[in-house]
């Protein structure tokens, strides 16, 4: 991630984004207390896709998985994929969802941290194991599925797969487009 403009420079111009994307980008920047939310001002250059992607992504964030579970999965995806942009936003959102600094450190150190094992509960460990397996193998073994199914119902299991794949794809897009951080001083 560079401090430069990215491979497709973001824009805050109404004529480049269209009214809906321009308003969404401004509202999101205000929400994250940044002068610009580069994800929206970059993806907004493809007006229709941003407009279609936002409700899907938002639905996954506010779905059947408890918010702390969703943020745990997103933080793990961001960490494994080395996507500082995702991490910058979701560290804060994770704290708001109840994932304190010790829990976040355990998420990032998983599975090596002996201290993390004490910090994480069985549900969190199952989600982390499943996330890593999903990212590495693009599927889950029967044993991992069964472990996850002890904590999640059928709808949540489906949602877990879509959430992990959504944020994996988003991390890849952010990295490929070299989207700059919204708050570079808060790494």
């Amino acid at each position: 991630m560079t401090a430069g403009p990215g491979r497709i420079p973001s824009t805050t111009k109404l004529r480049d984004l269209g009214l809906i994307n321009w308003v969404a980008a401004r509202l999101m920047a205000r929400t994250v207390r940044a002068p610009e939310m580069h994800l929206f001002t970059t993806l907004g250059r493809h007006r229709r896709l941003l407009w279609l992607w936002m409700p899907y992504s938002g639905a996954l964030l506010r779905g059947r998985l408890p918010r702390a579970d969703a943020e745990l999965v997103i933080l793990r995806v961001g960490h494994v994929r080395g996507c500082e942009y995702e991490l910058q936003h979701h560290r804060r959102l994770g704290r708001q969802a109840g994932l304190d600094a010790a829990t976040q450190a355990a998420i990032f150190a998983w599975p090596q941290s002996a201290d993390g094992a004490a910090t994480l509960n069985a549900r969190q460990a199952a989600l982390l194991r499943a996330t890593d397996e999903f990212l590495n193998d693009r599927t889950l073994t029967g044993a991992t599925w069964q472990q996850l199914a002890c904590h999640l119902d059928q709808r949540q299991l489906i949602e877990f797969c879509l959430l992990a794949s959504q944020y994996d794809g988003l991390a890849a897009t952010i990295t490929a487009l070299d989207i700059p951080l919204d708050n570079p001083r808060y790494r």
Side-chain angles (χ1 to χ4, degrees):
M1 193 143 315
T2 65
R7 290 185 171 153
I8 297 177
S10 61
T11 180
T12 57
K13 296 179 180 169
L14 176 62
R15 75 175 186 278
D16 293 332
L17 296 173
L19 181 61
I20 294 170
N21 293 350
W22 182 82
V23 169
R26 302 237 346 166
L27 289 173
M28 292 306 296
R30 183 175 296 154
T31 300
V32 300
R33 296 185 190 110
E36 179 180 347
M37 189 163 187
H38 292 97
L39 178 64
F40 281 70
T41 58
T42 300
L43 297 182
R45 286 182 169 273
H46 195 307
R47 294 179 187 184
R48 182 172 179 266
L49 279 183
L50 179 64
W51 188 77
L52 293 169
W53 169 79
M54 284 189 314
Y56 173 71
S57 186
L60 287 172
L61 280 177
R62 291 162 191 80
R64 296 201 24 104
L65 281 175
R67 188 62 187 255
D69 290 354
E71 291 301 332
L72 178 141
V73 170
I74 294 165
L75 286 169
R76 187 62 186 170
V77 170
H79 173 74
V80 169
R81 295 301 185 225
C83 185
E84 186 60 33
Y85 191 98
E86 276 185 354
L87 291 172
Q88 186 179 75
H89 286 280
H90 288 279
R91 283 185 190 107
R92 178 182 57 83
L93 294 171
R95 282 191 304 273
Q96 291 172 352
L99 301 176
D100 61 18
T103 304
Q104 289 192 30
I107 291 166
F108 301 140
W110 172 266
Q112 286 78 20
S113 170
D115 293 336
T119 304
L120 300 170
N121 61 40
R123 181 185 181 102
Q124 292 168 325
L127 283 163
L128 289 172
R129 186 172 293 106
T131 301
D132 283 2
E133 197 170 292
F134 187 92
L135 294 174
N136 292 327
D137 301 336
R138 312 307 290 166
T139 192
L140 299 175
T141 63
T144 300
W145 181 265
Q146 287 304 318
Q147 187 179 41
L148 199 56
C150 288
H151 302 283
L152 305 180
D153 64 29
Q154 288 181 348
R155 288 181 179 177
Q156 290 171 323
L157 288 163
I158 293 167
E159 192 170 304
F160 163 80
C161 293
L162 290 171
L163 179 72
S165 64
Q166 151 67 10
Y167 276 87
D168 187 26
L170 185 58
T173 300
I174 290 167
T175 302
L177 295 177
D178 200 21
I179 296 176
L181 296 174
D182 297 332
N183 291 302
R185 66 179 188 265
Y186 300 123
R187 286 201 108 153

